[in-house]
Amino acid sequence: MFATVKILYHHRTKSRDGQFVHISEMQAAFARAEHPLHEVAPGSGGDAVDFGSEAKGLSLMSRVVPDALREVMEWGYNAVSYTALRNAVHEFSPDFIYERYALGNVAGVLTAKRFGLPLLLEVNAPLAWERNQFGGLTFPRAAQRLETWILNQADRILAVTEVLKAMLVDAGADADRVDVIHNGIDPARFNRGHSTEKAKKALGLQDRVVLGFTGFCRDWHGLDRVVRLLAEDDAALRDAHLLIVGDGPACPGLRELAVELGVDDRLTITGIVQREDLIPNIAAFDVALQPDVTAYASPLKLFEYMALAKAIVAPDVPNIRELVAHEQSAILFELSEERGFADAIRGVLADPELRTRVGGGAADVIEQTPYTWDHNAHRVVEIARSL
């Protein structure tokens, strides 16, 4: 058995969302492998308790502080982070720094350089590009240059998809120092042994064919297409029920549409479900929906669907094809085809044998790769040792 290593884990995340899941699962995996870990992160302050919530202070700041000032404050926070990291190095004597990349965060680089420590940088999105496209940046050139500098100062970059790796290389990162580590699951909790029929009965959905979606529901997910599909006169759809495990800004419109089309009794929206209650809901799915996806993301819900052996309907795009294959471990549809999503759902509903085959194939992929947090933690440690 290899000797343990001491990990200084740095991030800036306060919200309890998908980012929190990744952080907490990786930390738990390091703990299971008995690697001592010290976390440097913003104090919780008790303001983000429930899963799905966001830190109130950050949420308020995003609404009331001008963009330019907020960006300067983000850069200025490096003084706080650097001080905390410096103190942690003196107290904890880590073997390497593992950092979740945040826009403009140079504290990890500066600490690693000062103390001669390897820096492994986990990157989940091309943040300079993303913020400029969707969140607005006052100083986009400065943000991009700083991002490129940070990427090239890290000893190793850990991207969550091959698509993201290519984007980071295009942004100036050295391809030889970028490894791809997809997201994963904890097989002790997410596995194909959960009973679909028992889960349906617990939710009052027995004798229904359940179409399921988990997460924060936005208009761009296009779940209105599923509600409209339920209203179509088709034998394959007669017993279909849409179960949305989560909440989001699209949900009121989906409820209204369901009432308008007379299928409101075939739509269930749970609201935000705590992490520990997620599995009993996903277990009830016959068909798991990934209606759309950010082009470079490694969607957590997809791994959970796969581990629970659900028949997945997902877009036929590069980052999804990194994980699953059409009619082997998922049913893939063309995003450019207007009826592609609906036709894929109809096809898998009409073919129970296909559902069973692709669901089993998805679970096999999880087990054989393996896409688990423990495997990811092992890879991170091995990369750190190689440095």
Side-chain angles (χ1 to χ4, degrees):
M1 179 178 177
F2 286 110
T4 59
V5 294
K6 299 175 73 174
I7 304 166
L8 180 55
Y9 197 116
H10 180 221
H11 67 88
R12 287 188 175 186
T13 301
K14 291 184 73 176
S15 301
R16 291 176 65 92
D17 52 13
Q19 301 174 80
F20 168 80
V21 171
H22 192 290
I23 291 166
S24 60
E25 293 285 7
M26 283 296 290
Q27 290 185 352
F30 286 131
R32 285 192 292 272
E34 300 183 351
H35 298 299
L37 181 145
H38 181 89
E39 180 186 67
V40 171
S44 65
D47 66 353
V49 177
D50 294 330
F51 185 74
S53 66
E54 61 179 348
K56 293 177 182 177
L58 296 178
S59 178
L60 178 64
M61 186 180 76
S62 68
R63 293 194 299 269
V64 302
V65 176
D67 288 347
L69 178 58
R70 187 171 73 248
E71 287 173 45
V72 172
M73 290 171 67
E74 288 174 349
W75 296 339
Y77 190 75
N78 279 298
V80 176
S81 298
Y82 177 76
T83 300
L85 285 167
R86 181 194 63 198
N87 293 340
V89 170
H90 286 305
E91 295 169 8
F92 183 63
S93 299
D95 292 301
F96 70 95
I97 300 172
Y98 183 90
E99 181 173 85
R100 183 183 178 96
Y101 173 61
L103 190 64
N105 181 13
V106 300
V109 169
L110 298 179
T111 305
K113 296 299 181 186
R114 174 174 175 179
F115 294 99
L117 293 169
L119 173 64
L120 274 63
L121 191 67
E122 172 202 305
V123 182
N124 291 270
L127 292 181
W129 178 88
E130 186 178 80
R131 279 274 294 274
N132 193 40
Q133 288 289 114
F134 305 111
L137 280 176
T138 307
F139 310 108
R141 290 185 180 178
Q144 184 60 71
R145 287 172 181 168
L146 189 57
E147 180 170 278
T148 300
W149 182 82
I150 292 169
L151 293 174
N152 283 315
Q153 294 303 308
D155 294 280
R156 215 60 169 265
I157 300 164
L158 311 177
V160 292
T161 61
E162 294 287 350
V163 174
L164 179 57
K165 174 180 177 176
M167 294 181 74
L168 297 178
V169 171
D170 286 345
D174 179 359
D176 292 337
R177 292 186 299 106
V178 184
D179 293 273
V180 175
I181 301 182
H182 295 90
N183 286 330
I185 53 93
D186 177 359
R189 294 188 297 120
F190 287 88
N191 59 71
R192 66 175 94 194
H194 296 273
S195 169
T196 301
E197 294 310 313
K198 286 182 180 178
K200 286 184 186 180
K201 188 174 182 180
L203 296 169
L205 297 176
Q206 58 269 35
D207 303 322
R208 300 292 184 95
V209 180
V210 177
L211 303 168
F213 172 88
T214 64
F216 199 65
C217 186
R218 299 185 184 276
D219 289 334
W220 62 265
H221 284 120
L223 288 171
D224 59 298
R225 293 172 290 175
V226 185
V227 176
R228 295 182 189 281
L229 189 64
L230 295 178
E232 293 185 9
D233 184 16
D234 188 313
L237 301 169
R238 197 160 296 141
D239 297 321
H241 189 97
L242 175 58
L243 173 60
I244 296 175
V245 183
D247 207 340
C251 290
L254 293 175
R255 290 189 182 98
E256 292 175 8
L257 180 62
V259 170
E260 177 187 329
L261 297 176
V263 294
D264 50 304
D265 61 333
R266 298 168 65 188
L267 169 65
T268 299
I269 302 176
T270 65
I272 292 174
V273 169
Q274 296 308 302
R275 184 73 179 160
E276 60 270 19
D277 298 322
L278 187 60
I279 294 173
N281 285 273
I282 300 179
F285 297 179
D286 293 291
V287 179
L289 305 177
Q290 177 80 52
D292 206 342
V293 65
T294 305
Y296 43 80
S298 181
L300 282 168
K301 66 166 63 71
L302 192 67
F303 294 90
E304 294 166 353
Y305 295 165
M306 293 168 70
L308 292 170
K310 300 304 172 184
I312 298 165
V313 174
D316 188 5
V317 291
N319 56 328
I320 297 296
R321 290 197 302 271
E322 290 180 28
L323 306 171
V324 293
H326 181 52
E327 294 192 349
Q328 296 178 35
S329 44
I331 301 300
L332 304 182
F333 65 91
E334 291 290 340
L335 278 171
S336 59
E337 294 181 6
E338 184 177 353
R339 292 281 302 180
F341 184 41
D343 288 344
I345 293 173
R346 178 183 284 103
V348 76
L349 287 178
D351 192 342
E353 183 181 333
L354 176 63
R355 293 202 299 270
T356 300
R357 186 175 78 249
V358 299
D364 289 343
V365 170
I366 287 284
E367 294 168 4
Q368 292 166 9
T369 304
Y371 289 125
T372 68
W373 298 115
D374 286 344
H375 180 67
N376 289 359
H378 176 75
R379 285 193 62 196
V380 168
V381 169
E382 288 305 296
I383 290 169
R385 284 197 178 107
S386 74
L387 298 172

